[in-house]
Each structure stands twice: as structure tokens, then as C-alpha cells.
Amino acid sequence: KAGVTQTPRYLIKTRGQQVTLSCSPISGHRSVSWYQQTPGQGLQFLFEYFSETQRNKGNFPGRFSGRQFSNSRSEMNVSTLELGDSALYLCASSRLSILSGGATNEQFFGPGTRLTVL
Amino acid sequence: DAKTTQPPSMDCAEGRAANLPCNHSTISGNEYVYWYRQIHSQGPQYIIHGLKNNETNEMASLIITEDRKSSTLILPHATLRDTAVYYCIVRVEEDDKIIFGKGTRLHILP
């Protein structure tokens, strides 16, 4: 079956702009999680959506938001972009919520969207 | 803060076993240990997970100490394609967060 897809793969924006990233999970998966990866901070959890509801959020400012649609596709929005927002943004899907799935709930990651803020 | 501690980097000769340690001294009784890896320019990849028993799959083995305060991921015959950053993760139930640390950068030497 098709894997997790993310669009766009690359994006260049300027400070102050906003950006929307999209993630399509594996068919049948209801959970989509978003992560930010930078060289200095490693992989950091942003938030998870499950059945159109945000289940949890990491330590990121309110400029980072998201939503999930009835077909489980998810979007992440970053407003008022800052230079430090330049990163690889990854989404991952799983059948159950990552908070309750336990031992059998694997996450499958997409290739990521590389965002550069100038 | 991440609930796990890993060495920042390790070297391993090609063909030898790579043993990656992880400390999780505050792990709770119902928390699982998960391992992921991220090869350059790709998304993280699930490797293996366990609760308290040792686990083995086609990719690796996971050895968890009896007190569950540490674990070791074993890649039995490392190849150049195993060069990646390896993340050891413990589910933090009380905070309802998944927290990734900085991982271990594994270099496989030819």
C-alpha cells in the first residue's frame, strides 16, 4: 500500500509569511503526528491529530497549528515565520493514536517537507 | 526533556555487531522502549520496541535490563546502509507527550 506522502517537498519563504504543509497518511490510519527536525535540536514532537482532534501538543508556540480532515489528511500551518523555523518537517501516521496504541502501533514517517525561511 | 540518554555518536566496523546503549532510569512499569532510526534526508524508520522481554526481528535485537533502566539495540551485522541517527524513545504517559532526544549518530566504517 502507498506510504505517507507530504507536499510540498521543498519550500522557501520569507520572515513574517505563513506556510501550510500537507500530509496524507497511509490508508486506514487515523493518527497523524507532526515533527520538526533541525540539526541543533534533533527531532521534536509538534502535535498529533487523531480522528480530527488534536490529541497532544509539544513545546511549540501558538504560531504552529494544525488540523485533520475527515479523510485523515492533515495540514500544519506556521504563521509569522521566523528564521529559526527553517527545518525539515516530518509527519507520521499510525493506525491508533500514538498515546494509546501501545506495543503494536507502529508509526510510519513521510519523506518530509524542507522549509527554508529567508 | 527527553526521558532517555544516549551517546551522541558511535563507530562500528562493517560486518561487526553494533551495540547502541540507551538509559531510561525513570521508565514506568507500563512504558515501552521504542527504537527508530533516521537515515540522512529520509524520515525516521521504526526498528523495534519492547516492554521487558528481549525482542528480535529481521532488523535488530533489543535487550532490556531486568530493572528496565537501560536497553541496548543490537544490529547483528552492520552494513554501510546502517549509517544513521538512532533514537531511543520511551512513552511519557503522564505528560502525554512523545519526546525524542538527540539520538546516537552511528558511523559504519568500511
Side-chain angles (χ1 to χ4, degrees), chain A residues 31-111:
Chain A
S31 165
V32 174
S33 300
W34 288 89
Y35 300 82
Q36 182 196 66
Q37 184 174 35
T38 59
Q41 298 296 321
L43 196 66
Q44 296 187 89
F45 174 72
L46 280 157
F47 34 65
E48 179 203 16
Y49 282 87
F50 183 79
S51 294
E52 302 179 61
T53 301
Q54 187 180 90
R55 288 296 299 271
N56 195 36
K57 185 174 170 68
N59 291 322
F60 280 83
R63 299 186 296 108
F64 292 82
S65 63
R67 60 178 175 169
Q68 187 179 35
F69 303 94
S70 58
N71 61 358
S72 293
R73 188 176 70 86
S74 176
E75 289 182 346
M76 189 192 85
N77 185 76
V78 187
S79 62
T80 319
L81 284 167
E82 301 176 359
L83 294 179
D85 296 332
S86 294
L88 180 67
Y89 289 88
L90 294 160
C91 81
S93 78
S94 54
R95 190 172 57 87
L96 305 175
S97 167
I98 60 173
L99 302 180
S100 61
T104 60
N105 192 42
E106 291 181 42
Q107 280 190 294
F108 295 84
F109 284 79

Side-chain angles (χ1 to χ4, degrees), chain B residues 7-81:
Chain B
S9 66
M10 290 183 63
D11 292 339
C12 178
E14 189 177 16
R16 304 295 294 271
N19 298 287
L20 293 94
C22 180
N23 288 323
H24 30 79
S25 58
T26 59
I27 191 171
S28 299
N30 59 348
E31 288 180 317
Y32 289 80
V33 180
Y34 280 77
W35 282 84
Y36 289 83
R37 72 180 182 183
Q38 186 169 15
I39 296 171
H40 181 62
S41 297
Q42 299 180 26
Q45 175 191 28
Y46 166 85
I47 301 173
I48 198 168
H49 66 272
L51 182 63
K52 55 182 179 181
N53 297 322
N54 297 338
E55 302 288 344
T56 295
N57 63 19
E58 66 279 3
M59 289 183 68
S61 294
L62 175 60
I63 309 297
I64 302 174
T65 58
E66 192 169 341
D67 63 10
R68 302 214 318 127
K69 293 184 177 182
S70 65
S71 60
T72 301
L73 178 74
I74 301 173
L75 307 177
H77 304 288
T79 70
L80 295 177
R81 287 177 294 181

